[in-house]
Amino acid sequence: MGPPRFDPRGLARIYDSPAVRAQRTVTRRLLDARPGETLLDLGCGPGHLTSELAAETSGDGRFIALDRQPGMVQAAASRAVAAGVAQRCLFVLGEATAVPLAPGTCDGVVAVQVLEYVPDIARALAEIHRVLRPGGRAVILDTDWRSCIWHSADDTRTDTVLRAWDEHCVHPHLPAHLLPMARAAGFTCAEVHAVPLVETDTRADTYSMGMLATIAHFVGRRQPELVEAWRADIRSGAAEGDYFFSLTRFATVIRC
């Protein structure tokens, strides 16, 4: 199963949620961008992180946004123009397993919710290692959906939906396996950070409400009755003020 194709507008709405904005703050802190560096946002999506890095980092640094989907590259470029940072950014169409950059181009690489969709993790890690300069670092952030707590009246049904959702990516539990794979690619692994997302309400701008629709669309293609019952259960609890969602992502910082 290859990586899915996401809609840039739908993904942007989820990325604009407060929980994901807070996640990007942690990611930028871990990457620790410095003036004059060249940084690669691998699998940039609609470009939130690229634009924030460019706006936040002073000096003459360069920011490369790469994605496999032309629509994402276009969305990232438009976002950079709106943020007034496009002159410091380069937008590239490409794959994580065949990055079209020369060896040693980058001081840092960040890949958020990317490698879990890549079938050949070893090759992707080798490409990250190749494009980094000696002493360069990468921040790789992915989700293990086994960490999800989504309160419902029927936990068995919710677990069934979430296990079906695992099929949307190639490596649904990548964080638990990433360290030895990174070492095999030649990296030293400095640290792993848990990045939790917690929501207790159902405002339209929450991450979990966006994911409720996304998961329902994916799982509902095969099991519509299961999904409708699950959504009704979640919404019923939310209407009664009984809503809780949490998910833990893991940011692995590796160095050449």
Side-chain angles (χ1 to χ4, degrees):
M1 178 174 63
R5 301 187 72 83
F6 292 105
D7 171 53
R9 290 172 297 179
L11 204 59
R13 286 193 293 271
I14 292 175
Y15 284 8
D16 281 327
S17 67
V20 182
R21 291 201 303 268
Q23 173 191 286
R24 287 198 301 277
T25 298
V26 174
T27 304
R28 296 196 309 274
R29 176 177 59 79
L30 293 174
L31 185 63
D32 189 22
R34 298 154 200 166
E37 289 190 322
T38 296
L39 303 173
L40 170 63
D41 185 358
L42 184 64
C44 64
H48 293 67
L49 185 56
T50 300
S51 288
E52 290 171 3
L53 283 167
E56 176 176 282
T57 308
S58 61
D60 57 352
R62 186 168 66 137
F63 302 87
I64 304 169
L66 180 147
D67 204 278
R68 66 185 296 269
Q69 291 186 220
M72 293 297 184
V73 175
Q74 294 166 7
S78 297
R79 185 173 299 276
V81 169
V85 297
Q87 70 280 4
R88 302 174 64 199
C89 299
L90 175 67
F91 303 94
V92 178
L93 185 65
E95 299 280 349
T97 52
V99 179
L101 298 176
T105 297
C106 303
D107 299 285
V109 175
V110 60
V112 176
Q113 299 295 115
V114 174
L115 293 196
E116 61 197 65
Y117 296 102
V118 177
D120 192 344
I121 296 289
R123 185 174 174 187
L125 288 169
E127 280 293 273
I128 294 172
H129 194 279
R130 182 184 65 82
V131 302
L132 280 171
R133 296 182 180 128
R137 74 280 186 198
V139 177
I140 299 174
L141 186 145
D142 286 288
T143 301
D144 188 329
W145 277 88
R146 287 176 298 193
S147 70
C148 182
I149 301 172
W150 214 327
H151 177 61
S152 66
D154 189 332
D155 290 338
T156 299
R157 180 170 53 211
T158 296
D159 187 65
T160 300
V161 170
L162 293 177
R163 295 296 71 80
W165 169 244
D166 280 350
E167 297 178 12
H168 86 286
C169 65
V170 189
H171 306 284
H173 312 302
L174 178 61
H177 309 285
L178 187 58
L179 288 176
M181 300 174 80
R183 293 190 187 102
F187 288 99
T188 59
C189 303
E191 53 207 26
V192 178
H193 297 261
V195 184
L197 307 180
V198 179
E199 293 178 338
T200 57
D201 63 61
T202 56
R203 299 189 314 272
D205 65 345
T206 58
Y207 168 81
S208 55
M209 284 295 98
M211 289 308 302
L212 184 76
T214 300
I215 293 171
H217 175 74
F218 180 85
V219 179
R221 290 180 297 181
R222 296 183 183 176
Q223 303 179 74
E225 294 182 1
L226 169 70
V227 165
E228 284 307 309
W230 175 64
R231 292 181 77 173
D233 180 6
I234 296 293
R235 288 170 173 166
S236 175
E240 296 173 3
D242 186 17
Y243 185 78
F244 182 90
F245 171 89
S246 73
L247 180 70
T248 304
R249 289 176 169 156
F250 298 89
T252 303
V253 182
I254 55 180
R255 303 182 187 277
C256 287

